[in-house]
Amino acid sequence: MRKEININVSESEAQRQLQFVDELKEIYQKKSDELGRPLTYHIATFGCQMNAKDSEKLAGILEKIGFVETDTEVADFVAYNTCTVRENANTRVYGRLGYLNSLKKKNPNMMIALCGCMMQEDAVVDKIRKSYRFVDIIFGTHNIFKLAELIQARLSSKSMIIDIWKDTDQIVEDLPSERKYKFKAGVNIMYGCNNFCSYCIVPYVRGRERSRNPEDILREIRELVADGVVEIMLLGQNVNSYGKTLENPMTFAELLIEIEKIEGLERIRFMTSHPKDLSDSLIEVMKNSKKICNHLHLPFQSGSTKILKIMNRKYTKEDYLSLVDRIKAAMPNISLTTDIIIGFPGETEEDFLETLDVVKKVRYDSAYTFLYSKRTGTPAANMESQVEDSVAKDRFDRLLKEVQAISSELTSKHQGSIQKVLVEEINEQDPTLMTGRLSNNVLVHFKGNKDMIGKIFNVNLKECKGFYYIGELV
Ligand code: SAH
Ligand code: SF4
Ligand code: F3S
């Protein structure tokens, strides 16, 4: 079953899905009674925050059916929510499938589902259909809300269920979602991407850009806050172009002003910002906000204007640097982070030095550095002059050294200051310590107790340990 595009937006779709949930609840309750134990599920999430958010939606449906979460893949229902942004993301999934097969041989009740971005690629689905026949359900990024229906279909069929939609204009809301943290949550503000950066697979696997209605976003955040959430992360591949596709267009800056008004909400984060769409009014809103965190993730990908043009990024090196200047002028203390790709086709040593130059000029608190990975179907995959692996690796190592040197200098600049920390969890190594985050996203460990989780405290940042602080409650 493959759908080209789903145009019929059914208002009662969520209701329909909840009926499948109810039916499955009964079936699985019987199964659980027979086995004399609860049925378990495990979701492994690869990739970005969008996938993490989608996994919470999948978990919500599974919990409603009656499954109980477990830490490992020794479970009755296992889902891999996959990523395909770089080749190694795919390799990791294939690498783990053999292990799942061995588990399934031991547990006849086990059901294996594969979903997410990798499944939007025909070649992947063909390969799984042929070589990984033990997989029960394959679905994509546009129809995760259908999980219960797909489980139902698998129970009444002898073979693998495949349901991939090529694109959708449907946004199905009001289904259960199981949050990983009680006090912080991701909130989708838009889906998909229209930018078609020439190296990137995301627009092909996530479809066209669709913004959610502001009323729906605000309602969701209010509900989250009423349920104990103090920090939200607004999610979109390009949040700065939020609202363009709405019936009544609205800018991202305007949306933020409305979100800021929600009482009880303490911190607002967002990602990702595309430099081409970052407006001066957004800078103004950030500067005046009491809730927007002191952090901006602003990927630049390459410092070479020539490469940026071939990447289809729609800004030059100078545009980017002047944008950073405006941001820093408005918010001198802002923590900037970025993404950089090394070894894009045609990248010369001079182009690489331009990238290094941006890193030295901007001085990022941290940077995610990636070796270019060829994605079949993207324009860059067919470009001549792909950079040799050894050359790219050498540039990558030089870049990383620079990034890390600057990063450790910058992190320590807050040593000795008192800052607000949102406590997130008990420290994994030392249970007398609590782990929390500063507004700029840096981790802090300090003595405390688990009742502090989800609350904000003033902490003295006593000692910087490279990428985190050891602090003391004040
Ligand atoms: N929408 C975000 C990025 C999402 S993908 C943005 O535009 O900033 C996250 C990061 O993966 C990108 O910023 C890019 O640095 C990296 N990336 C994407 N495609 C890649 C590829 N083919 N090879 C290497 N890195 C890639
Ligand atoms: Fe990919 Fe570019 Fe869209 Fe980001 S903006 S998801 S890099 S196409
Ligand atoms: Fe990966 Fe899909 Fe995110 S390809 S980076 S999980 S949008």
Coordinates of all heavy atoms in Angstrom, one line a residue, residues 1-3 6 13-14 16-18 20-21 24 57-58 61-62 65 77 137-154 161-165 168 170 172 175:
M1 N 0.9 -1.2 0.0 CA 0.0 0.0 0.0 C 0.9 1.2 0.0 O 1.6 1.5 0.9 CB -0.9 -0.1 1.3 CG -1.5 1.1 1.8 SD -2.8 0.8 3.0 CE -2.0 -0.1 4.3
R2 N 0.9 2.0 -1.1 CA 1.7 3.2 -1.1 C 0.8 4.4 -1.6 O 0.2 4.3 -2.6 CB 2.9 3.1 -2.1 CG 3.9 2.2 -1.5 CD 5.2 2.4 -2.2 NE 6.2 1.5 -1.6 CZ 7.5 1.6 -1.8 NH1 8.0 2.6 -2.4 NH2 8.3 0.8 -1.2
K3 N 0.9 5.5 -0.8 CA 0.1 6.6 -1.2 C 1.0 7.7 -1.8 O 2.0 8.0 -1.3 CB -0.6 7.1 0.0 CG -1.8 6.4 0.4 CD -2.7 7.2 1.3 CE -3.8 6.2 1.9 NZ -4.4 6.8 3.1
N6 N -1.8 12.5 0.4 CA -3.0 12.3 1.1 C -3.7 13.7 1.1 O -3.3 14.5 1.9 CB -2.8 11.8 2.5 CG -4.1 11.5 3.2 OD1 -5.0 11.1 2.6 ND2 -4.1 11.8 4.5
E13 N -9.8 11.8 12.0 CA -8.7 10.8 11.9 C -8.2 10.4 13.3 O -8.0 9.2 13.6 CB -7.6 11.4 11.1 CG -6.4 10.4 10.8 CD -6.8 9.1 10.2 OE1 -7.7 9.1 9.2 OE2 -6.4 8.0 10.6
A14 N -8.1 11.4 14.2 CA -7.6 11.0 15.5 C -8.5 10.1 16.2 O -8.2 9.1 16.8 CB -7.4 12.3 16.3
R16 N -10.6 8.1 14.8 CA -10.5 6.8 14.2 C -9.4 6.0 14.7 O -9.5 4.8 15.0 CB -10.3 7.0 12.7 CG -11.1 6.0 11.8 CD -10.8 6.4 10.3 NE -10.3 5.2 9.7 CZ -9.0 5.0 9.3 NH1 -8.1 5.8 9.6 NH2 -8.6 3.9 8.8
Q17 N -8.2 6.6 14.9 CA -7.1 6.0 15.5 C -7.3 5.5 16.9 O -6.8 4.4 17.3 CB -5.8 6.9 15.4 CG -5.4 7.2 14.0 CD -5.1 5.9 13.2 OE1 -4.5 4.9 13.7 NE2 -5.4 5.9 11.9
L18 N -8.0 6.3 17.7 CA -8.3 5.9 19.0 C -9.1 4.7 19.1 O -9.1 3.9 20.1 CB -8.9 7.1 19.8 CG -7.9 8.3 20.1 CD1 -8.6 9.5 20.7 CD2 -6.7 7.8 21.0
F20 N -8.8 2.2 17.0 CA -7.9 1.1 16.9 C -7.1 0.8 18.2 O -6.9 -0.3 18.6 CB -6.8 1.4 15.8 CG -7.4 1.3 14.4 CD1 -7.5 2.5 13.6 CD2 -7.8 0.1 13.8 CE1 -8.1 2.4 12.3 CE2 -8.3 0.0 12.5 CZ -8.5 1.2 11.8
V21 N -6.8 1.9 18.9 CA -6.1 1.8 20.2 C -7.0 0.9 21.1 O -6.5 0.0 21.8 CB -5.8 3.1 20.8 CG1 -5.4 3.0 22.2 CG2 -4.7 3.9 20.0
L24 N -7.0 -2.7 20.2 CA -5.7 -3.4 20.5 C -5.6 -3.6 22.0 O -5.0 -4.5 22.5 CB -4.6 -2.6 20.0 CG -4.4 -2.6 18.5 CD1 -3.3 -1.6 18.0 CD2 -4.1 -4.0 18.0
K57 N 5.4 10.6 20.4 CA 4.0 10.3 19.9 C 3.8 8.8 19.7 O 2.7 8.3 20.1 CB 3.8 11.0 18.5 CG 3.8 12.5 18.6 CD 3.6 13.2 17.3 CE 3.7 14.7 17.4 NZ 3.8 15.4 16.1
L58 N 4.8 8.1 19.2 CA 4.7 6.6 19.1 C 4.5 6.0 20.5 O 3.7 5.1 20.7 CB 5.9 6.0 18.4 CG 6.1 6.5 17.0 CD1 7.5 5.9 16.5 CD2 5.0 6.0 16.1
I61 N 1.0 6.3 21.9 CA 0.0 5.3 21.4 C 0.3 3.9 22.0 O -0.7 3.3 22.5 CB 0.2 5.3 19.8 CG1 -0.2 6.6 19.3 CG2 -0.7 4.1 19.3 CD1 0.1 6.8 17.8
L62 N 1.6 3.5 22.1 CA 1.9 2.2 22.7 C 1.4 2.1 24.1 O 0.9 1.1 24.5 CB 3.4 1.9 22.5 CG 3.8 1.7 21.1 CD1 5.3 1.7 21.0 CD2 3.2 0.4 20.5
I65 N -2.2 1.6 24.4 CA -2.6 0.2 24.1 C -2.3 -0.7 25.3 O -3.0 -1.7 25.5 CB -1.8 -0.3 22.9 CG1 -2.2 0.5 21.6 CG2 -2.0 -1.8 22.6 CD1 -1.4 0.2 20.4
F77 N 7.5 -5.2 21.7 CA 7.3 -4.3 20.5 C 8.5 -3.4 20.4 O 8.9 -2.7 21.4 CB 6.1 -3.5 20.6 CG 5.7 -2.7 19.4 CD1 4.8 -3.2 18.4 CD2 6.4 -1.5 19.1 CE1 4.6 -2.5 17.3 CE2 6.1 -0.8 17.9 CZ 5.2 -1.4 17.0
I137 N 6.5 -4.2 10.4 CA 5.8 -3.0 9.9 C 6.8 -2.0 9.5 O 7.8 -1.7 10.2 CB 4.9 -2.4 11.1 CG1 3.9 -3.4 11.7 CG2 4.2 -1.1 10.6 CD1 3.2 -2.8 12.9
I138 N 6.5 -1.4 8.3 CA 7.4 -0.3 7.9 C 6.5 0.9 7.6 O 5.5 0.8 6.8 CB 8.1 -0.6 6.6 CG1 9.0 -1.9 6.7 CG2 9.0 0.5 6.1 CD1 9.8 -2.3 5.5
F139 N 6.7 2.0 8.2 CA 6.0 3.2 7.9 C 6.9 4.4 7.9 O 8.1 4.3 8.2 CB 4.8 3.4 8.8 CG 5.1 3.5 10.2 CD1 4.9 4.7 10.9 CD2 5.4 2.4 11.0 CE1 5.2 4.8 12.3 CE2 5.7 2.4 12.3 CZ 5.6 3.6 13.0
G140 N 6.4 5.6 7.5 CA 7.3 6.7 7.2 C 7.1 7.8 8.2 O 6.7 7.7 9.3
T141 N 7.5 9.0 7.7 CA 7.4 10.2 8.5 C 6.1 10.9 8.6 O 5.8 11.7 9.5 CB 8.5 11.3 8.1 OG1 8.2 11.6 6.7 CG2 9.9 10.8 8.2
H142 N 5.3 10.6 7.5 CA 4.0 11.4 7.4 C 2.8 10.7 8.1 O 1.8 11.3 8.2 CB 3.7 11.6 5.9 CG 4.7 12.3 5.1 ND1 5.1 13.6 5.4 CD2 5.5 11.8 4.1 CE1 6.1 13.9 4.6 NE2 6.4 12.9 3.8
N143 N 3.0 9.4 8.5 CA 1.8 8.7 9.0 C 2.1 8.0 10.3 O 1.5 7.0 10.6 CB 1.3 7.7 8.0 CG 2.4 6.8 7.5 OD1 3.6 7.0 7.8 ND2 2.0 5.7 6.8
I144 N 2.9 8.6 11.2 CA 3.2 8.0 12.5 C 2.0 7.9 13.3 O 1.9 7.0 14.2 CB 4.3 8.7 13.3 CG1 4.0 10.2 13.3 CG2 5.7 8.5 12.7 CD1 4.8 10.9 14.5
F145 N 1.0 8.8 13.1 CA -0.2 8.8 13.9 C -1.0 7.5 13.6 O -2.0 7.2 14.4 CB -1.1 10.0 13.6 CG -1.6 10.0 12.2 CD1 -2.8 9.4 11.8 CD2 -0.9 10.7 11.2 CE1 -3.2 9.5 10.5 CE2 -1.3 10.7 9.9 CZ -2.5 10.1 9.5
K146 N -0.6 6.7 12.6 CA -1.4 5.5 12.2 C -0.9 4.2 12.9 O -1.3 3.1 12.6 CB -1.3 5.3 10.7 CG -2.3 6.1 9.9 CD -2.2 5.7 8.4 CE -2.8 4.4 8.1 NZ -2.8 4.0 6.7
L147 N 0.1 4.4 13.9 CA 0.7 3.2 14.4 C -0.3 2.1 14.9 O -0.1 1.0 14.5 CB 1.6 3.6 15.6 CG 2.3 2.4 16.3 CD1 3.2 1.7 15.4 CD2 3.1 2.9 17.6
A148 N -1.4 2.5 15.6 CA -2.3 1.5 16.1 C -3.0 0.8 14.9 O -3.1 -0.4 14.9 CB -3.4 2.2 17.0
E149 N -3.3 1.5 13.9 CA -4.0 0.9 12.7 C -3.0 -0.1 12.1 O -3.4 -1.2 11.6 CB -4.4 2.0 11.7 CG -5.1 1.5 10.5 CD -5.6 2.6 9.6 OE1 -5.5 3.8 9.9 OE2 -6.2 2.3 8.5
L150 N -1.8 0.3 12.0 CA -0.8 -0.6 11.4 C -0.5 -1.9 12.2 O -0.3 -2.9 11.6 CB 0.5 0.2 11.1 CG 0.4 1.4 10.2 CD1 1.7 2.2 10.1 CD2 0.0 1.0 8.8
I151 N -0.5 -1.7 13.5 CA -0.3 -2.9 14.3 C -1.6 -3.9 14.1 O -1.4 -5.1 13.9 CB -0.2 -2.6 15.8 CG1 1.0 -1.7 16.1 CG2 -0.2 -3.8 16.7 CD1 1.2 -1.2 17.5
Q152 N -2.7 -3.2 14.1 CA -3.9 -4.0 13.8 C -3.9 -4.7 12.5 O -4.2 -5.9 12.4 CB -5.1 -3.0 13.9 CG -6.5 -3.6 13.5 CD -7.0 -4.4 14.7 OE1 -6.5 -5.5 14.9 NE2 -8.0 -3.9 15.4
A153 N -3.4 -4.0 11.5 CA -3.3 -4.6 10.1 C -2.3 -5.8 10.2 O -2.5 -6.8 9.6 CB -2.8 -3.6 9.1
R154 N -1.2 -5.6 10.9 CA -0.2 -6.7 11.0 C -0.8 -7.9 11.7 O -0.5 -9.1 11.3 CB 1.0 -6.2 11.7 CG 2.1 -7.3 11.9 CD 2.7 -7.7 10.5 NE 3.7 -8.7 10.7 CZ 3.5 -10.0 10.5 NH1 2.3 -10.5 10.2 NH2 4.5 -10.9 10.6
I161 N 3.7 -5.3 6.8 CA 2.9 -4.2 6.4 C 3.7 -3.0 6.0 O 4.6 -2.6 6.8 CB 2.0 -3.8 7.6 CG1 1.1 -4.9 8.1 CG2 1.1 -2.6 7.3 CD1 0.0 -5.4 7.1
I162 N 3.5 -2.5 4.8 CA 4.3 -1.4 4.4 C 3.4 -0.2 4.1 O 2.5 -0.4 3.3 CB 5.2 -1.7 3.2 CG1 6.1 -2.9 3.5 CG2 6.0 -0.5 2.7 CD1 6.9 -3.3 2.3
D163 N 3.5 0.9 4.7 CA 2.7 2.1 4.5 C 3.5 3.3 4.5 O 3.8 3.9 5.5 CB 1.6 2.1 5.5 CG 0.5 3.2 5.2 OD1 0.5 3.7 4.1 OD2 -0.4 3.4 6.0
I164 N 3.9 3.7 3.3 CA 4.7 4.9 3.2 C 4.0 6.0 2.3 O 3.5 5.7 1.2 CB 6.1 4.6 2.4 CG1 6.8 3.4 3.0 CG2 7.0 5.9 2.4 CD1 7.4 3.6 4.3
W165 N 3.8 7.2 2.8 CA 3.2 8.3 2.1 C 4.3 9.1 1.5 O 5.3 9.4 2.2 CB 2.3 9.1 2.9 CG 1.2 8.4 3.6 CD1 0.9 7.1 3.5 CD2 0.2 9.0 4.4 NE1 -0.2 6.8 4.2 CE2 -0.7 7.9 4.8 CE3 -0.1 10.3 4.9 CZ2 -1.8 8.2 5.6 CZ3 -1.2 10.5 5.7 CH2 -2.0 9.5 6.0
T168 N 2.4 14.7 2.5 CA 1.1 14.9 3.1 C 0.8 16.4 3.3 O 1.7 17.2 3.5 CB 0.9 14.1 4.4 OG1 -0.4 14.2 4.9 CG2 1.8 14.7 5.5
Q170 N -1.6 16.7 5.7 CA -2.4 16.4 6.8 C -1.6 16.6 8.1 O -0.5 16.2 8.2 CB -2.9 15.0 6.7 CG -3.9 14.6 7.8 CD -4.5 13.2 7.5 OE1 -4.4 12.7 6.4 NE2 -5.2 12.6 8.4
V172 N -2.3 15.6 11.9 CA -3.2 15.0 12.8 C -2.7 15.3 14.2 O -1.6 14.9 14.6 CB -3.3 13.5 12.6 CG1 -4.2 12.8 13.6 CG2 -3.8 13.2 11.2
L175 N -3.6 13.3 19.5 CA -3.3 11.9 19.9 C -2.4 11.9 21.1 O -1.7 12.8 21.4 CB -2.7 11.1 18.7 CG -3.7 10.6 17.7 CD1 -2.9 10.1 16.4 CD2 -4.6 9.5 18.2

